[in-house]
């Protein structure tokens, strides 16, 4: 299985930048790179997308996904307009550098007057629009978040939305922290089409009551209580073969030296895939 790096992992380390991340990831053997919107926004203040495309052409590591289209559902008209602008920018970036994936995160705190069914149908409408906007060459991956107040917070619910839309370029992100945090079901994962799992985010979680953890409670894989063995067993059984991408947000890891953070991220991700996946 190929390994990827998400820029959240070293985001607040001293000396971090898009280029610093890319150079360190290339050096440490990552295959793919998930780019954050804020890191890219900093980069384009002084560089062009053409420069970035040229960098990728001359290096081994390849762009994997754009992180993130945040809060795509339950929007008012102004928010919808702003999202359209963001989508146009993402499409321009994807086309310029040959990136083929957009990760989309659902809205939080949408009120208690909407049922899960209502939320699912509205999200399906929005995602159909987004997937069609991006076009068939760019995949859109719905990332449910394991928080009580996220409008789509379990694997099964997110997968229902993906099934309802039923477009080849719409799939799901399986983030192991989020999977654990709202008690997503392995039975739901077993029923999933492996080809619909577009993104696999790797991390772990402190031993705290489920649903109570913020992203800062993430840990390096296998240092916490996420049942990685069972998740990996199901992914192997259903025939998943994708990219395993490390994604941390831990303040303690931000205090590491930037190079050390990425070196460690590569080591733990490689060890993880070697342990659980054959190829
Ligand atoms: Zn994630």
């Amino acid at each position: 299985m190929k390994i990827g790096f998400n820029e959240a992992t070293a985001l607040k380390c001293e000396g971090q930048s898009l280029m610093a991340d890319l150079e360190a990831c290339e050096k440490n053997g990552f295959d793919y790179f998930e780019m954050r919107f804020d890191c890219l926004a900093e980069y384009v203040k002084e560089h062009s997308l053409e420069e970035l495309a040229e960098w990728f052409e001359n290096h081994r590591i390849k762009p994997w996904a754009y992180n993130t289209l945040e809060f795509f559902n339950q929007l008012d008209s102004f928010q919808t307009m702003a999202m359209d602008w963001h989508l146009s920018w993402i499409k321009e970036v994807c086309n310029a550098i040959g990136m083929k994936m957009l990760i989309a995160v659902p809205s939080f705190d949408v009120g208690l007057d909407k049922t899960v069914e209502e939320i699912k149908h509205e999200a399906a409408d929005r995602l159909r629009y987004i997937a069609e906007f991006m076009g068939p060459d760019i995949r859109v991956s719905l990332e449910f978040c394991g928080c009580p107040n996220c409008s789509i917070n379990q694997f099964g619910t997110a997968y229902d939305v993906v099934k309802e839309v039923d477009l080849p370029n719409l799939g799901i992100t399986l983030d192991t922290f989020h999977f654990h945090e709202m008690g997503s079901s392995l039975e739901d994962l077993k029923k999933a089409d492996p080809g619909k799992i577009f993104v696999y985010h790797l991390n772990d979680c402190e031993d705290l009551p489920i649903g109570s953890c913020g992203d800062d409670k993430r840990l390096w894989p296998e240092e916490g209580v996420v049942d990685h063995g069972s998740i990996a067993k199901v992914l192997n059984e259903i025939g998943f073969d994708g990219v395993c991408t490390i994604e941390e947000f831990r303040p303690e890891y931000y205090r590491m030296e930037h190079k050390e953070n990425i070196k460690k991220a590569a080591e733990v991700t490689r060890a993880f895939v070697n342990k659980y996946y054959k190829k």
Side-chain angles (χ1 to χ4, degrees):
M1 184 174 288
K2 302 285 190 196
I3 61 168
F5 178 84
N6 181 298
E7 282 198 285
T9 306
L11 187 63
K12 294 178 185 168
C13 291
E14 207 180 320
Q16 186 277 346
S17 68
L18 178 65
M19 279 320 297
D21 284 349
L22 278 171
E23 295 286 357
C25 284
E26 173 86 355
K27 191 171 168 229
N28 285 284
F30 278 107
D31 302 295
Y32 288 101
F33 190 79
E34 290 193 7
M35 192 171 293
R36 276 183 61 97
F37 67 100
D38 44 1
C39 301
L40 182 64
E42 278 298 313
Y43 176 84
V44 296
K45 280 185 188 171
E46 292 181 8
H47 305 272
S48 67
L49 291 177
E50 289 70 29
E51 271 178 81
L52 189 56
E54 199 181 316
W55 188 92
F56 277 114
E57 275 166 29
N58 293 311
H59 292 80
R60 201 186 63 88
I61 193 168
K62 295 297 165 228
W64 181 240
Y66 181 96
N67 284 254
T68 305
L69 178 71
E70 283 189 326
F71 317 140
F72 66 82
N73 59 331
Q74 302 288 335
L75 306 181
D76 63 29
S77 50
F78 181 76
Q79 290 167 326
T80 306
M81 204 167 72
M83 194 186 75
D84 275 353
W85 175 86
H86 194 184
L87 284 174
S88 301
W89 165 240
I90 295 166
K91 200 168 175 175
E92 191 182 329
V93 172
C94 286
N95 289 334
I97 66 169
M99 187 157 60
K100 304 285 186 189
M101 187 92 72
L102 161 62
I103 297 173
V105 166
S107 300
F108 286 61
D109 295 313
V110 300
L112 296 174
D113 58 336
K114 296 180 181 77
T115 66
V116 172
E117 283 307 304
E118 284 166 350
I119 288 170
K120 285 199 287 194
H121 294 318
E122 195 268 348
D125 287 343
R126 295 305 304 160
L127 286 169
R128 187 178 299 107
Y129 172 82
I130 293 164
E132 286 174 349
F133 185 99
M134 297 308 287
D137 291 342
I138 298 169
R139 297 193 288 172
V140 177
S141 188
L142 165 58
E143 180 161 354
F144 65 95
C145 293
C147 310
N149 60 334
C150 181
S151 56
I152 301 174
N153 57 18
Q154 287 183 309
F155 183 91
T157 321
Y159 198 77
D160 284 347
V161 175
V162 168
K163 273 197 304 190
E164 181 176 332
V165 177
D166 194 25
L167 281 173
N169 68 328
L170 181 71
I172 194 168
T173 297
L174 166 57
D175 180 309
T176 54
F177 171 88
H178 292 313
F179 193 90
H180 169 82
E181 262 300 279
M182 282 304 288
S184 282
S185 152
L186 287 167
E187 292 306 312
D188 287 336
L189 185 58
K190 276 181 196 165
K191 287 184 252 166
D193 171 354
K196 281 290 184 193
I197 301 169
F198 287 177
V199 174
Y200 181 14
H201 279 169
L202 179 66
N203 37 56
D204 216 311
C205 183
E206 289 185 32
D207 186 14
L208 295 165
I210 66 163
S212 67
C213 292
D215 283 319
D216 61 327
K217 303 293 187 232
R218 292 180 181 219
L219 290 163
W220 298 121
E222 306 225 86
E223 290 190 3
V225 294
V226 171
D227 186 2
H228 283 295
S230 297
I231 294 170
K233 185 167 178 281
V234 173
L235 289 175
N236 276 309
E237 277 168 10
I238 64 174
F240 170 75
D241 183 21
V243 175
C244 184
T245 300
I246 186 99
E247 186 189 40
E248 305 287 350
F249 289 86
R250 194 173 179 83
E252 199 183 320
Y253 303 165
Y254 293 150
R255 290 194 285 273
M256 296 170 76
E257 215 185 303
H258 178 261
K259 283 178 188 164
E260 286 304 311
N261 173 303
I262 294 186
K263 185 165 172 266
K264 171 82 176 176
E267 282 167 6
V268 298
T269 310
R270 195 170 289 113
F272 182 85
V273 298
N274 287 341
K275 178 176 175 185
Y276 290 108
Y277 299 96
K278 283 197 194 83
K279 51 179 183 173

